[in-house]
Amino acid sequence: MTIMRDELRTGLGYDSHRTAAGRPLILAGITVPAQVGLLGHSDADVLCHAVMDALLGAAHLGNIGMLFPDTDPANKDADSLMLLRHVAALTAGEGWEIENIDAVIILEQPKLSPYVPAMEQNIATACGIEPCRVSVKPKTNEGMDALGRGEGAAALVSCLLRRRANSLRCSPPLC
Ligand code: MG
């Protein structure tokens, strides 16, 4: 089926994980030196998880809980950057190109700004796009609520996907 004009879809992803002693803090594949890490069945990469849900939402391909259930032993300590690579391939297989990914990560400590360029590069590489199309913005919660008390981390991600007018849809059509 030939599409007569470009389709644009926005996506929204959110994820959160509790902090835990003795766990690594892995964000977009970067192991950040920290006193506590994040708890999870996989590597608890909250940023990658939110990016995946944004892409899957925009492409109407479900969510990471459906693709990578935490009841599956295969996903134990999974490398979320590799899972993101898989999700990006799924969306590309449906003819979608990623225009941009914009992310906020909320974590009280440590300061994440030194790691932002590497995080953006890792997400871009996993998605097969230029780093200038990925923005990661660290925030604190100003001491408020559970995130402000350092009990966890959260990430919010938006993305924009484009399917060009001359692209061929893989079957079945999405909608
Ligand atoms: Mg998660």
Side-chain angles (χ1 to χ4, degrees):
M1 172 179 178
T2 302
I3 302 168
M4 301 308 291
R5 58 179 172 76
D6 285 8
E7 284 183 275
L8 296 173
R9 297 269 185 92
T10 63
L12 174 64
Y14 172 80
D15 194 32
S16 61
H17 282 260
R18 292 179 181 273
T19 47
R23 289 274 302 181
L25 177 61
I26 299 174
L27 298 170
I30 304 294
T31 301
V32 177
Q35 291 189 333
V36 294
L38 295 175
L39 193 61
H41 183 68
S42 69
D43 62 3
D45 190 331
V46 66
L47 184 51
C48 276
H49 294 182
V51 172
M52 285 190 273
D53 261 355
L55 295 174
L56 291 169
H60 199 252
L61 289 172
N63 61 65
I64 58 170
M66 295 163 59
L67 264 64
F68 313 113
D70 61 11
T71 52
D72 186 346
N75 296 324
K76 180 87 172 74
D77 298 323
D79 178 346
S80 295
L81 210 53
M82 294 303 294
L83 302 183
L84 174 57
R85 190 181 298 271
H86 178 71
V87 165
L90 283 179
T91 57
E94 295 287 345
W96 295 107
E97 299 173 23
I98 301 170
E99 287 291 326
N100 80 301
I101 291 168
D102 191 13
V104 172
I105 179 157
I106 305 164
L107 181 67
E108 216 62 16
Q109 289 182 342
K111 191 176 178 61
L112 297 177
S113 54
Y115 307 98
V116 164
M119 291 180 193
E120 292 176 345
Q121 178 67 63
N122 277 358
I123 292 170
T125 299
C127 293
I129 58 177
E130 303 93 331
C132 63
R133 294 180 184 271
V134 180
S135 288
V136 173
K137 305 183 297 296
K139 308 286 286 185
T140 72
N141 216 38
E142 299 283 348
M144 295 182 287
D145 300 332
L147 292 176
R149 291 191 296 271
E151 295 174 15
L156 299 112
V157 174
S158 70
C159 70
L160 180 67
L161 302 186
R162 176 188 299 275
R163 190 153 56 183
R164 295 190 184 277
N166 61 357
S167 71
L168 296 176
R169 286 187 182 187
C170 297
S171 60
L174 294 177
C175 59

